[in-house]
Amino acid sequence: MATAVESRPAAPAKGSSKGAGMSEGQKKTWWAVADLVVLLYALVPVLWILSLSFKTTDTITDGNFFPRSWTLDNYAQIFQIGLFTAALRNSIGIALISTVLAVVIGTMAAYAIARLDFPGKKVLVGVSLLIAMFPQISLVSPLFDIFRGIGIFDTWLGLILPYITFALPLAIYTLSAFFREIPWELEKAAKMDGATPLQAFRSVIVPLAAPGVFTTAILVFIFCWNDFLFAISLTSTSRSQTATVAIANFTGASQFAEPTGSIAAAAVLLTIPIIVFVLFFQRRIVAGLTSGAVKG
Amino acid sequence: MADIVLDHVYKRYPDGTLGADDVNIEIADGEFIILVGPSGCGKSTTLNMIAGLEDISDGELRIGGQRMNERAPKDRDIAMVFQSYALYPHMTVRENMAFPLKLAKVDKAEIDRKVTDAAKILDLTQHLDRKPANMSGGQRQRVAMGRAIVRSPKAFLMDEPLSNLDAKLRVQMRTMVSKLQQRLETTTVYVTHDQTEAMTLGDRIVVMRSGVVQQIGSPQHLYDHPANLFVAGFIGSPAMNFLPARLENDSLRTALGDLALSDQVRQTLSSSGAERDVIVGIRPEHFEDAALIEEGIRHQGSTFSAQVDVLESMGSDKFAYFTIEEQATSDELAELAADAGTADVPGGDAGQLVTRLSAASGASEGQSVDVWVDTSKLQVFDPKNGKNLTASEAAPATV
């Protein structure tokens, strides 16, 4: 308390000398610089990978940011193996199915949590949070055993199940926050207008929750797409191996050669679906969609 | 179109409180009825029970003679207008208004025709393809009305539909609602906490207080013959003046002096017992500048003189405020003051007498003036239970 009182006279003097000294233009410049730093920090590794993927085998270790000699061999190579194409197909299929299922189930669960009062609601929310916090690595061995026992080891289902399990808490949390934002009176109005609860949900609540649903879909898709731990532990053949695992299994021309170029090319390819997915859904994430529903 | 009957309806909440306590209302076909009362009086609960948005704990709700208790809102064929309008923001005005028809599986041409008609009535034709977000409060309000009327339901329920509008627009919309109801002749139940809205709109008013219906009657009846202190204090603006008084023989001893009772008042009171403490209620307009009262009429009332605290000249009338030492106290009056917020105002309504004098009155601030009271219009209340002792005629209308 005493220090706060003492420091008070000093604070405005400091603030005024700095704040008044900076014009609107200078402020903008500083923000631009800060943005640029953050952008570079995030993008340089990506650009580095991109650069590596275009380098020829003999220049790959030269340390130049811009490749001296350009080549598309690395890309051609990974598709020649065949293994990677199958893995890419597995990745897309598994991630999409998991995303759709997690979002559909999550939407319904989140709606119930946001709107209804039922016994055990707090427990349900708590348990779903617990699942999200559970270390995945500790589940790998039991899942391996169980899945082999029931015969879903090395299948799509064997990956979709754990993905949904871990994506659901995320989906439920994000979506219930969105549902709470939707005025309850809209639902009452729909009921009065003659809608069944399902009709009200489908034609009033879901369109309004769409931004939330798409945001959740993006997050869940990225989670499934990027997973390596479950994918490497619960698969063994190209039947269900995903792209992340396929990259790890790349081998060079001889056992002494590192397949750096191929890995870089595959990594670049792997980010493309995510960028497409985000760009596609970003257009639908329209902020303030609910404005105009109720006054205020 | 149908009548609505609430037959000994109760709403009990899990914690045991009563949202509605033995509510009995018979609403005739085509009637415009207002549920009014301070916040928390159970008016919205009652409306929601009619709508089906809240369960009825006990009693029966009949619409058009059929029991509705167990029916879902969508099967009751009633439309509701919400305080917040509750428009679907992702739909255009046209889609908003067509929504109930689409759910009812009306064919497209018919929907178009009905929406166009409703839009014409509500002056929304040029806005049909806009989204609610781009509209003003008044326009949104009209869309909400439109969504209710397209379906030609059995009844309209309106939950404070005008309270989100600014004062001027509210008066305009009030007239519009009134005209609309007359034109469509649909049974309407309208909830408001604004007594002016209640007085101007309704065929009949239901005054509620903590879940209990206080009185049902036409606006004029409630104004002239309030069943109890609560109704008397709630209906009318400025509110009725309440003074503690002692009933002795044929006169009332009050802070304004002894008020002689008119024959009519005396007759009703004589049966109610002998000397006792009462609360007397006098409406502001039952006072007049004594100088303006003709000799012949003067004996019909009493005259007192007092110093004017504040004088508000409205052009057509003058409101003169006087201070009185004693103040009537009762639970009902305390609740009304709390609801109006006057309890928080320093000096508020406490010990204040409001009189409405003719514009011709020579009264001026700080000066003493002779004021005449029309004693035939006095209302005498029992301070214990708030009952109106003078309103014998009001008895049949009370439930």
Side-chain angles (χ1 to χ4, degrees), chain B residues 271-304:
Chain B
S271 56
S272 311
E275 200 169 302
R276 59 196 285 198
D277 285 322
V278 292
I279 291 175
V280 59
I282 316 166
R283 295 237 177 248
E285 65 270 27
H286 296 144
F287 293 92
E288 188 52 279
D289 189 334
L292 299 172
I293 298 293
E294 286 171 38
E295 278 301 328
I297 313 173
R298 205 177 268 216
H299 72 276
Q300 287 176 11
S302 301
T303 307
F304 66 96

Side-chain angles (χ1 to χ4, degrees), chain A residues 185-197 199-200 203-205 207-208 289-296, chain B residues 48 51 53 73-74 78-80 82-91 99-100 103 132-133 140 147 151 157 164:
Chain A
E185 289 212 323
L186 286 182
E187 234 168 304
K188 290 190 192 164
K191 270 192 207 165
M192 295 307 299
D193 282 345
T196 61
Q199 280 173 322
S203 50
V204 174
I205 301 304
L208 292 178
L289 197 69
T290 50
S291 67
V294 296
K295 178 161 173 155
Chain B
N48 283 339
L53 297 170
K74 70 182 185 72
I78 41 184
M80 189 157 169
F82 293 84
Q83 180 178 3
S84 64
Y85 320 142
L87 301 178
Y88 310 123
H90 57 299
M91 300 184 192
F99 188 67
L103 290 172
R140 288 183 203 174
R147 197 172 58 186
R151 206 154 43 103
L157 306 180
N164 272 348

